[in-house]
Amino acid sequence: MTGINAKLWWLFAGISAAGLALLAFAAISVYEAVYVDSERTQLVEMAEALANTYQNDGQSLDTIHSFLDEAGLDAVTVDDPMVLGSALPLQAPEEDVVITFRERERLSQGETVIIERQNAYLGSDLIGAAVPVLTGSELTAVALVYRPVSDLLQAFLNVLPVLLTAGVLALAALLLIRRQIQIDYTAPLEALEASAERMAAGHFEGNTGVTADNEVGELARSFEKMAASIQAQDDDKREFLQNVSHELRTPLSYIKGYSELLQQPADDQAEIAAIVYSESERMERLVNQLLDLTRLEGGTGQLKSELLALAEIVREAVGKTEVKWRKKQLRVRAELDEELLVKGDGDRLLQVLINLLDNAIAYTDPAGVILVRLSDANGEALLEVIDSGIGIAQEHLPHVAERFYRADKGRTRTGGGAGIGLSIVREIIELHGGTLAIDSTVGQGTNVSIRLPKQDI
């Protein structure tokens, strides 16, 4: 993900540049505020003390000069009227004098003057303060205290390594932060992008390899779950197409073979035509079941919602399958709670009951028993279809409601349905807010139980 890395580097460079600029600004500000400003204040105070001493106690001038020398300051007290009234020294260019004409004018008015410039007379860049000594309105003397600017700069240079060290440490910290961001965020995002590209190419393994314990890690794990879900759906789709192909292949082969026989005169043409018709019906049932299941799973199969007496639907289903169970000499018993009411689609619930009875009839040996029981179970309508048939092995029970699943893989596809009926039953029951459960023991029979929300009048 070059874009993210490039943006991260640009961000890092921008923060570094801003940090260096801030450090330089801070250094200049420290120099101005801490050193220069405080030095101006100190020089003014010293010059005022020198002027006061000169004016009041000339005997103490030597003591003050010694103190200033020890503080690293230079001091001059000028009381020569010729010097005060002209340049210093006489005839010197304006830029070389200690006190310019304009500054002398301000001193004559009693103002304190701050001096910051290069001075050839004193031989260095200087910063100083000049305080006037007035007798009445006449300037009689000037007390000047100054120091070379190089002294201030040297003091600042002594602190500069500390500032530079702080800058280097800040830059190193930024590098570490940038590295951690790359490990925790950009690298996982790159892995996610690579996985997304693989998924777009049809590879749904979804293993991103991201182990970060943060928001991106959670996103990666959600992505892996999504990829696994898509992989499962893709596998289901492939299996579905394979099962449909297998289910259609047998009737198509029958139709093709017997159609060829019909082209030749034969005494059993009526029987052949009946087989072709039967296989065509089988294909039609399969296609209709697939369309029905697709509509139910996609939510496009609209269900009616009306108050129903479930016992009446059970009796109707038993009646519609009577020909089949009597043909196998089965006994069907119904134990029904006539008071139970449910809300739903009567046609769809009838479809469920007929499907369950068809399965019970198909897998129960002649002279067997089928019990349909309807009862109130803890505020729910419990419908059970219990047969004494061949039963289902325990390992197959979790899968019998899956599309095209057959517990007996050796059973021919002409024996029994296509394996879609229970899938449709489950979808219909779930759309009614109910649950489907199957319990079975091989050689003893199967109990299919449905629970639906009970409605009170």
Side-chain angles (χ1 to χ4, degrees), residues 226-269:
M226 179 188 70
S229 176
I230 295 175
Q231 179 69 60
Q233 291 179 6
D234 190 62
D235 292 341
D236 289 343
K237 181 180 68 176
R238 288 195 180 94
E239 184 180 1
F240 174 77
L241 293 175
Q242 291 173 355
N243 289 328
V244 169
S245 300
H246 283 303
E247 293 292 340
L248 293 177
R249 182 186 302 165
T250 299
L252 283 174
S253 64
Y254 275 117
I255 292 172
K256 180 180 178 181
Y258 284 110
S259 296
E260 291 175 353
L261 291 176
L262 286 175
Q263 296 175 7
Q264 304 172 4
D267 295 336
D268 56 353
Q269 282 191 349

Side-chain angles (χ1 to χ4, degrees), residues 308-315 334-341 374-376 457:
L308 303 170
L310 200 52
E312 295 180 4
I313 297 175
V314 173
R315 277 192 290 270
E335 298 176 0
L336 308 177
D337 185 341
E338 301 289 344
E339 303 297 326
L340 281 177
L341 299 176
L374 178 60
S375 60
D376 186 339
I457 300 177

